[in-house]
Amino acid sequence: MTDKTMTPEDVVSRLRSGMTLGIGGWGARRKPMALVRALLRSDITDLTVISYGGPDVGLLAAAGRIRRLIAAFVTLDSIPLEPHYRAARERGAFALTEIDEAMFLWGLTAAAHRLPFLPVRAGLGSDVMRVNPELRTVTSPYEDGETFVAVPALRMDAALVHLNRADRLGNGQYLGPDPYFDDLFCQAADRAYVSCERLVDDFGAAAPQTLLVSRHTVAGVVETPNGAHFTSCVPDHDRDEAFQRLYATTPWPQFAERFLSGDEKAYQSAVQTWHEEQQ
């Protein structure tokens, strides 16, 4: 039995510049934002980021920490295109590999199974092949002789995910409507770190399918109440739409100075103060 509990700073101390970093969640849903904010407080940079992107990508892009992004999209959901990501991309701040959502899924699956690639039909006949000339095709060795896209494995040095509940051993549970492939992120990475809304001693009579992440794939667990803010983590909390609008419309230096200049406790306090000002 191993207690894997850490602080956000402990997690970041195990990351390095130049790493390939996977970030779980989906758009502006159940993102490990407290861990991303801790990463911003470090000097780590030159990252290759793999994500179904949301404000995690926007924050890292605005702060100049990304060298290459591999994503199917970068959205805030209710705001279709993440504005800080868009600004960074328009000024050519980092390289982009943009692939189909299904290709992304099979890239995670290949990495989770330690395969170099998986053959898929997604992407054939589309501009995905044109904008990603490094992609290759393979021909079935069987009688069908069908051509497939050989989607490369999305291997990661480390992955960050956020779940509703976790225990000290590294088992993680989601309570919302969708797993968002966080289990694949953990399996595809050399090391995975799970933040959670609440640590529990056991999961009681939980439905087996909610026990998404297994301890053997997890190197560290961080209890971070409201740690997905401002993204959603239902049923614990919804997306903070008002604050998300503020984030999307505030110049980056101004937003960073007010909300990202201190630790996580300072961030949560600043958010609370801002909401009180709106009343």
Side-chain angles (χ1 to χ4, degrees):
M1 304 290 282
T2 302
D3 187 331
K4 298 178 181 177
T5 54
M6 296 180 175
T7 66
E9 289 70 28
D10 291 333
V11 171
V12 172
S13 73
R14 289 159 171 78
L15 306 179
R16 298 289 182 269
S17 293
M19 274 187 163
T20 296
L21 180 67
I23 305 178
W26 179 281
R29 308 176 208 181
R30 215 176 66 224
K31 286 289 182 175
M33 298 298 287
L35 299 184
V36 172
R37 288 188 284 268
L39 182 58
L40 290 176
R41 294 193 293 271
S42 76
D43 59 1
I44 292 172
T45 189
D46 198 37
L47 294 169
T48 295
V49 174
I50 299 174
S51 176
Y52 284 108
D56 54 325
V57 171
L59 288 170
L60 293 172
R65 306 301 183 89
I66 301 176
R67 178 180 63 84
R68 184 179 190 86
L69 173 67
I70 302 173
F73 53 74
V74 184
T75 179
L76 297 179
D77 293 333
S78 57
I79 299 172
L81 187 58
E82 216 287 349
H84 295 297
Y85 153 77
R86 177 177 182 173
R89 179 61 185 156
E90 286 179 346
R91 65 176 182 267
F94 53 82
L96 174 64
T97 298
E98 187 176 17
I99 56 177
D100 174 271
E101 290 178 29
M103 297 170 73
F104 194 103
L105 165 61
W106 290 113
L108 290 177
T109 304
H113 290 279
R114 298 304 186 261
L115 296 170
F117 70 92
L118 278 175
V120 303
R121 293 187 177 91
L124 288 172
S126 77
D127 276 351
V128 168
M129 304 301 291
R130 180 183 60 82
V131 300
N132 296 293
E134 69 277 10
L135 288 175
R136 298 290 182 265
T137 58
V138 293
T139 301
S140 169
Y142 299 105
E143 290 182 1
D144 59 276
E146 188 174 352
T147 297
F148 299 94
V149 179
V151 176
L154 296 177
R155 288 296 305 274
M156 310 161 196
D157 297 306
L160 310 176
V161 305
H162 186 80
L163 295 169
N164 298 91
R165 304 288 182 267
D167 64 18
R168 296 176 182 275
L169 303 179
N171 300 296
Q173 179 187 34
Y174 80 104
L175 301 176
D178 200 307
Y180 304 135
F181 309 114
D182 284 353
D183 53 335
L184 290 180
F185 274 91
C186 291
Q187 294 167 31
D190 291 341
R191 288 181 172 270
Y193 301 94
V194 174
S195 60
C196 66
E197 294 292 315
R198 180 159 60 88
L199 280 172
V200 295
D201 293 328
D202 63 70
F203 298 99
Q209 62 266 30
T210 70
L211 301 175
L212 183 66
V213 171
S214 299
R215 65 190 183 191
H216 73 276
T217 66
V218 174
V221 180
V222 183
E223 186 177 46
T224 56
N226 209 35
H229 185 272
F230 51 92
T231 72
S232 63
C233 188
V234 294
D236 291 305
H237 60 80
D238 292 324
R239 184 163 54 241
D240 189 340
E241 293 285 0
F243 189 83
Q244 177 170 275
R245 286 193 296 272
L246 174 73
Y247 163 78
T249 57
T250 303
W252 170 253
Q254 182 180 335
F255 180 87
E257 180 179 2
R258 178 166 186 182
F259 296 104
L260 302 175
S261 58
D263 60 11
E264 182 64 14
K265 182 178 179 180
Y267 169 81
Q268 298 289 346
S269 177
V271 171
Q272 181 178 351
T273 298
W274 180 83
H275 275 291
E276 291 170 354
E277 294 170 354
Q278 310 312 303
Q279 298 175 0

